[in-house]
Amino acid sequence: QVQLVESGGGLVQAGGSRRLSCAASGRSFSRSAMGWFRQAPGKEREFVAAITWNGGTTSYANTVKGRFAISRDNAKNTISLQMYSLKPEDTAVYYCAARDDLMITPSQYAYDYWGQGTQVTVSS
């Protein structure tokens, strides 16, 4: 059974940092593009960041560019999202996702596997 499990969410003050992790099991995702998405209350799920199968290319939403960094460790079948300078508007449930393709895309509909999400709350 394929599973993506996020961890690292919690409450953080504005201006603080947080690191999210996503552990994959059930199969290797070393040949899969992976990404992070988020959904705030009352809003649609939106793209945050993505990384190609080998980590050679990354992509970020404009709202997080320069503050967030996505990385992966194929040996451990994990990806991470390091978040800096957090703002209250970053408050959301963050989801890890993977797709059966080498290349990245910001479209959530192109991703085949999803985690259950982890809540990040940024207090002002």
Side-chain angles (χ1 to χ4, degrees), residues 17-53:
S17 301
R18 199 82 179 182
R19 185 177 181 88
L20 304 182
S21 296
C22 173
S25 61
R27 56 161 276 189
S28 170
F29 285 96
S30 62
R31 302 288 290 178
S32 299
M34 299 187 73
W36 288 94
F37 292 77
R38 68 186 181 186
Q39 187 168 20
K43 294 188 176 181
E44 297 286 322
R45 187 159 58 185
E46 64 177 7
F47 170 74
V48 175
I51 187 166
T52 51
W53 68 280

Side-chain angles (χ1 to χ4, degrees), residues 21 24-26 30 32 35 40 42 47-48 55 58 62-63 68-69 75 81-84 86 95 101-102 106-107 117:
S21 296
S25 61
S30 62
S32 299
F47 170 74
V48 175
T58 56
N62 287 335
T63 51
F68 290 11
L81 185 70
Q82 179 66 54
M83 305 183 292
Y84 300 99
L86 283 162
Y95 298 91
D101 196 284
L102 299 177
S107 172

Side-chain angles (χ1 to χ4, degrees), residues 38-44 88-93 119-120:
R38 68 186 181 186
Q39 187 168 20
K43 294 188 176 181
E44 297 286 322
E89 50 264 44
D90 293 318
T91 295
V93 177
Q119 175 72 46
V120 174

Side-chain angles (χ1 to χ4, degrees), residues 7-13 18 20 83 86 92 118-123:
S7 62
L11 178 64
V12 60
Q13 288 190 330
R18 199 82 179 182
L20 304 182
M83 305 183 292
L86 283 162
T118 186
Q119 175 72 46
V120 174
T121 302
V122 184
S123 63

Side-chain angles (χ1 to χ4, degrees), residues 1-5 22-29 76-78 113:
Q1 181 181 0
V2 175
Q3 276 193 313
L4 299 177
V5 179
C22 173
S25 61
R27 56 161 276 189
S28 170
F29 285 96
K76 296 181 179 178
N77 224 17
T78 61
Y113 306 95

